[in-house]
Amino acid sequence: MKLKELSVLMARREDGRLSYEQFRADHAMAPLRGWPDDVVQQFLFDHGDNAAFVRDYGGVDLCTVTWELEAIPVADFVEMPTGNSDAGCIEHYAEDPEWWISVRPPQIGRHWEEHGTWLRPPILIDRCLLDPAARGLQVLEGRTRAGVLRGRLHKGLHVASHHQAWVGRASGGRGITASV
């Protein structure tokens, strides 16, 4: 299953005829029933029709991805890329992390101040799912959060040593198949 196979669901979501609960329960989502709700909502429901996401992740066989909530060291985020279609956006957010926090609900800023991390774990993907020769993780969703983290680190603001993130990895040694 690939992102383009969700296009009918995405069209219904766009015109307001499909809630997240209906999206999640739709028979087309049956192959992904084991995916965590947070991943389904942030990646597929919120961004499954985003042209940049489809370009960057359209070749991934979604059924071969397994997800785990992991504690990722802060050092891993310093140079972690995002998809080619959004190259540079993490660096853009890192330029002014306080502003990006200020335009969010107040509890997000409080959480950064108290815990040095985000309130909601972002979505990362093992780069070997995109290119079998690639290594490391990539920010799939949560580019603003990753930018705020980098910016706070660069400015010497409170940043935790580890950060929770949903990480998608290949199950069964497969991942990329024919392009969209």
Side-chain angles (χ1 to χ4, degrees):
M1 168 187 261
K2 300 201 179 161
L3 285 176
K4 70 180 181 176
E5 294 175 44
L6 300 176
S7 62
V8 172
L9 287 177
M10 297 314 301
R12 289 177 34 219
R13 186 215 24 105
E14 287 173 9
D15 67 14
R17 293 184 295 137
L18 191 68
S19 69
Y20 172 71
E21 291 75 23
Q22 292 167 318
F23 178 88
R24 183 73 163 147
D26 192 281
H27 67 87
M29 292 295 293
L32 307 178
R33 291 277 188 252
W35 280 32
D37 276 334
D38 214 19
V39 174
V40 172
Q41 187 170 22
Q42 288 186 67
F43 176 25
L44 301 179
F45 185 73
D46 292 346
H47 297 289
D49 58 346
N50 177 318
F53 272 55
V54 174
R55 274 191 304 279
D56 292 341
Y57 308 106
V60 176
D61 180 350
L62 302 176
C63 295
T64 67
V65 181
T66 57
W67 297 94
E68 294 290 332
L69 189 60
E70 298 182 17
I72 307 297
V74 68
D76 289 4
F77 285 99
V78 173
E79 298 293 326
M80 190 181 294
T82 191
N84 291 334
S85 298
D86 285 325
C89 73
I90 292 174
E91 294 78 5
H92 171 73
Y93 299 130
E95 291 173 5
D96 194 357
E98 294 93 352
W99 187 86
W100 290 103
I101 290 172
S102 75
V103 297
R104 302 292 189 264
Q107 66 267 25
I108 292 175
R110 283 191 302 272
H111 201 268
W112 275 106
E113 290 305 316
E114 293 172 14
H115 303 283
T117 191
W118 37 67
L119 191 57
R120 187 177 192 191
I123 313 298
L124 310 179
I125 193 165
D126 190 324
R127 296 181 73 219
C128 74
L129 284 163
L130 308 169
D131 173 0
R135 298 290 172 259
L137 298 174
Q138 175 169 314
V139 179
L140 190 151
E141 169 45 16
R143 297 168 308 276
T144 305
R145 286 167 272 183
V148 166
L149 173 68
R150 280 190 202 170
R152 288 180 62 87
L153 189 63
H154 178 73
K155 292 179 180 256
L157 301 172
H158 176 51
V159 175
S161 64
H162 288 75
H163 304 269
Q164 293 289 307
W166 287 105
V167 178
R169 300 188 190 279
S171 60
R174 301 179 324 195
I176 269 219
T177 58
S179 295
V180 180

